[in-house]
Amino acid sequence: MKISLPRREELIKDRRKPFRSKRRLSGKGLPEKDLELETLLKQYTPPEIRPDIRKSQITQLSADIRNTDYLPRQSFMEQILTHMSFISGWVWLSQAGMLFLIFYYIFQTELLLLNTLLSCLAPGLSLILVYEVSKSFRADIWEMEAACRYNLAQIFFFRLCILFGGDILVLTIALIAYRMVGGLLWQFCYYALLPFFLTGAVSLHVLRRIGNRCNSTVIAAVPLSVGILDFWVMPPVEKGFSFGGISLSKGIPIVTMLALFLLLYNTLKLCTKMHYLNENRKDHSAWNFE
Amino acid sequence: MQDHELIKRIRQGEKQLFGQLIEKYYDDVFRYCYYQTGNEHTAYDCTQETFYHLMRFLENYREQNRFKSYLIRIALNVCKDYFRKNGSRTVSEVSYNQWTDNAAPGQNTANIPPSVVGPERDTVIRLLVREGLMLLSESQREVIVLYYYQGYKLREIASLTGVPLSTVKTRLYAGTEKLKQYLKEEGGLI
């Protein structure tokens, strides 16, 4: 007997179907039995508000507001500076350490070794960024959200701005040094930029998908995989491998641009279309915390 | 006076109008805080804290005719903060367990006895529901309170709590199942 298996597309389509309770719905869309629960829950009423406490609190609050200055709206730079103070010190230290390493070796070793060093450091640079950003997911960053001043998307945006700013600075300095010792641009793209962009894009995608379940192991796995992939692909590249007649000097920058596009796409998605902030995707400013 | 007008005038400097805003929403915020914390005194504290937060960040409020939701969101965060600082449970003034401890020897405390009728039965149910709610995880209780007591739709709760709609549904389902099981086992109510 021939058994027909559902096609992959059907399975995917099925998985995307919205949740539907199999129980009969009634009333305001509650399952039948839950109305019974609702009746029970409604019997639990809060105590009568004590007028004396109510009055004293309102008086106290009204008096306090007279002495309170609202926190003013902040400019972009002010917001960046505010968020900068929340970035851990080890991020700056690690970035400075990486720069030191690059400068230490750049004038001492041959280009091949320097390339290997760059290939190792680039995913690490991305790892620092993703690890720092993921802390907002894992710690739920209540300390700032509770203040209702920023929402999580904004926190991500500012953190990414700061961290990318730092990383770009490191990479720019590294590029200048690399060019000074005779390295080619496509080589720098291949050994530093591509692993950095790729790690960042994949990590942010993973972060976006699995949110607060993202732990250190998952975060570390991505740069490690990219690093391994890098070392695996490195020997044929060094031998001057060409793909379909496209030379490496043209092909690598194109692939790097693609990786950059992927990184920007994931960054943008993380900051603007966070599914848990805008489920229907129409109501982008559902919550007005600036 | 409409909320947006009131807020606009407070922002313009008529701070004495803030009292009116609190008067209007005090009860709603208190009710939410009470259901969330299960303790009257804590509810008063959280209510006051909510308005303090509102006071400081009123300048950042952008008018969308959702002021109550904005306020509830603040209350929600204040309660979360409270639980973070004080542990996940609050001490209920009178617990259902205390009531069962006082039951006559040999009496089956797994169900509310038929002899308990009228106001006393209502009190017992109230205690039972409160205990049940406090047994739920903070996030499950949050969804149940917003859904059953505050009357928000699931999509609105998703926006309020900042989690996907599917997560809200899962929490609601898990929470109601746990609550029903508790009410059934402890009081034979469902």
Side-chain angles (χ1 to χ4, degrees), chain A residues 18-20 23 28-31 33-38 40-51 53-54 56-58 60-62 64-74 142-143 145-149 151 275-280 283 285-290, chain B residues 10-11 15-16 18-19 22-23 26-27 30-31 34-35 38 40 44 48 51-53 55-62 64 66 69-70 73-74 77 80-81 84 122 125-126 129-130 133 144 147-149 155 158-160 162-165 169 173 176-177 179-180 183 189-190:
Chain A
F19 170 84
R20 295 258 189 277
R23 284 174 289 179
K28 59 171 190 175
L30 298 174
K33 205 174 180 185
D34 289 358
L35 286 173
E36 201 181 338
L37 178 71
E38 190 175 16
L40 272 174
L41 286 173
K42 288 282 160 73
Q43 288 192 47
Y44 169 47
T45 50
E48 283 292 311
I49 297 171
R50 286 168 55 187
I53 297 181
R54 188 181 194 275
S56 73
Q57 282 196 351
I58 293 174
Q60 174 80 44
L61 283 159
S62 303
D64 286 347
I65 196 172
R66 287 194 196 102
N67 306 319
T68 305
D69 287 326
Y70 306 126
L71 286 181
R73 278 173 191 268
Q74 290 178 306
W142 300 121
E143 71 273 15
E145 266 236 292
C148 300
R149 189 147 207 205
N151 62 35
H275 54 89
Y276 49 83
L277 285 176
N278 301 304
E279 181 65 29
N280 56 10
D283 202 4
S285 49
W287 297 104
N288 42 37
F289 308 115
E290 280 202 340
Chain B
I10 295 169
R11 277 174 176 172
K15 289 181 174 179
Q16 70 278 11
F18 194 70
I22 308 172
E23 280 277 358
Y26 188 92
D27 296 3
F30 174 82
R31 271 196 288 272
Y34 180 77
Y35 284 127
E40 192 180 347
Y44 280 119
Q48 194 174 24
F51 285 108
Y52 272 121
H53 273 82
M55 195 191 284
R56 283 196 76 204
F57 299 103
L58 194 64
E59 191 63 20
N60 293 322
Y61 172 72
R62 210 188 285 161
Q64 283 181 337
R66 289 174 171 184
S69 301
Y70 176 70
R73 168 81 191 237
I74 299 177
N77 284 332
K80 269 182 185 159
D81 241 24
R84 269 184 66 223
D122 291 345
I125 291 174
R126 267 205 297 278
V129 172
R130 182 169 67 184
L133 276 175
I144 286 182
Y147 188 66
Y148 286 106
Y149 291 110
R155 196 171 285 280
S159 274
L160 260 168
V163 293
L165 184 61
K169 285 174 179 173
Y173 181 74
T176 47
E177 286 303 309
L179 195 57
K180 279 194 283 190
L183 294 175
L189 288 170
I190 289 182

Side-chain angles (χ1 to χ4, degrees), chain A residues 117-141:
Chain A
L117 179 74
L118 277 177
S119 303
C120 294
L121 290 184
L125 203 61
S126 223
L127 172 71
I128 296 170
L129 180 142
V130 175
Y131 184 78
E132 188 62 18
V133 170
S134 74
K135 269 169 42 180
S136 304
F137 264 121
R138 282 179 289 133
D140 288 334
I141 205 142

Side-chain angles (χ1 to χ4, degrees), chain A residues 20-216:
Chain A
R20 295 258 189 277
S21 173
K22 284 177 183 169
R23 284 174 289 179
R24 196 164 65 84
L25 298 177
S26 63
K28 59 171 190 175
L30 298 174
E32 191 87 56
K33 205 174 180 185
D34 289 358
L35 286 173
E36 201 181 338
L37 178 71
E38 190 175 16
T39 318
L40 272 174
L41 286 173
K42 288 282 160 73
Q43 288 192 47
Y44 169 47
T45 50
E48 283 292 311
I49 297 171
R50 286 168 55 187
D52 52 329
I53 297 181
R54 188 181 194 275
K55 198 181 168 190
S56 73
Q57 282 196 351
I58 293 174
T59 315
Q60 174 80 44
L61 283 159
S62 303
D64 286 347
I65 196 172
R66 287 194 196 102
N67 306 319
T68 305
D69 287 326
Y70 306 126
L71 286 181
R73 278 173 191 268
Q74 290 178 306
S75 66
F76 181 76
M77 271 318 287
E78 282 171 335
Q79 293 191 44
I80 288 277
L81 287 173
T82 307
H83 284 271
M84 210 176 248
S85 58
F86 286 92
I87 306 269
S88 316
W90 69 267
V91 171
W92 311 120
L93 271 176
S94 315
Q95 287 184 340
M98 283 186 184
L99 264 183
F100 173 77
L101 267 179
I102 291 167
F103 272 96
Y104 183 75
Y105 282 106
I106 210 154
F107 300 110
Q108 293 192 12
T109 57
E110 53 181 5
L111 208 59
L112 190 68
L113 266 170
L114 187 67
N115 289 340
T116 315
L117 179 74
L118 277 177
S119 303
C120 294
L121 290 184
L125 203 61
S126 223
L127 172 71
I128 296 170
L129 180 142
V130 175
Y131 184 78
E132 188 62 18
V133 170
S134 74
K135 269 169 42 180
S136 304
F137 264 121
R138 282 179 289 133
D140 288 334
I141 205 142
W142 300 121
E143 71 273 15
M144 285 174 86
E145 266 236 292
C148 300
R149 189 147 207 205
Y150 308 100
N151 62 35
L152 207 51
Q154 286 172 319
I155 292 167
F156 280 133
F157 174 73
F158 288 115
R159 288 199 154 197
L160 285 169
C161 278
I162 296 164
L163 294 166
F164 272 132
D167 288 349
I168 285 166
L169 188 74
V170 172
L171 288 169
T172 310
I173 296 170
L175 173 65
I176 294 166
Y178 194 77
R179 294 286 284 156
M180 276 165 68
V181 291
L184 298 170
L185 188 64
W186 75 264
Q187 284 177 322
F188 187 77
C189 282
Y190 176 72
Y191 292 111
L193 295 182
L194 188 58
F196 173 73
F197 292 153
L198 210 59
T199 311
V202 177
S203 302
L204 290 183
H205 178 78
V206 170
L207 205 61
R208 209 160 50 79
R209 285 284 160 203
I210 63 176
N212 56 2
R213 283 168 291 163
C214 197
N215 56 29
S216 311

Side-chain angles (χ1 to χ4, degrees), chain B residues 123-137:
Chain B
T123 310
V124 173
I125 291 174
R126 267 205 297 278
L127 290 174
L128 204 57
V129 172
R130 182 169 67 184
E131 292 277 307
L133 276 175
M134 294 316 290
L135 280 177
L136 301 179
S137 72

